[in-house]
Amino acid sequence: MDFKPCNSCGTCPVGWDNFKNLTEAQIKEIDETRFEARYRAGEMIFKQGTPTPNAVFMADGLAKLYLETEEGKRVIIALIKP
């Protein structure tokens, strides 16, 4: 799938279902502060143990969710799809 950026979270075809429960003003506020990013294969989105101050929605691709052991090994615990 070749994802094309959306103009609004409220009308995005791959958007979060709960956006439908928000008012137009709330959607507008989200749209004014949202940011779209693309990641390359192998690039880290979040690091284990660090705070995550934002919500992230994946529109395309596949991500690995893994735990890093004390020895530094990465154990994949899930594959995440949009």
Side-chain angles (χ1 to χ4, degrees), residues 2 12 19-20 28 36 45 48 56 58 60 63 73-75:
D2 188 25
C12 183
F19 283 142
K20 296 172 187 166
K28 182 179 178 188
E36 291 183 20
I45 299 171
Q48 179 176 325
V56 174
M58 186 167 62
D60 189 28
K73 292 184 180 183
R74 294 178 178 173
V75 179

Side-chain angles (χ1 to χ4, degrees), residues 5-27:
C6 297
N7 292 328
S8 172
C9 290
T11 59
C12 183
V14 294
W16 186 37
D17 285 340
N18 282 329
F19 283 142
K20 296 172 187 166
N21 298 322
L22 300 178
T23 65
E24 285 185 36
Q26 291 168 323
I27 290 290

Side-chain angles (χ1 to χ4, degrees), residues 32-72:
E32 289 173 351
T33 59
R34 73 189 179 95
F35 178 79
E36 291 183 20
R38 292 192 176 268
Y39 292 88
R40 292 189 172 104
E43 196 171 355
M44 191 173 302
I45 299 171
F46 296 110
K47 176 135 178 74
Q48 179 176 325
T50 61
T52 306
N54 302 302
V56 174
F57 300 92
M58 186 167 62
D60 189 28
L62 186 68
K64 295 177 198 171
L65 176 61
Y66 63 85
L67 291 175
E68 195 166 291
T69 67
E70 291 180 14
E71 297 81 29

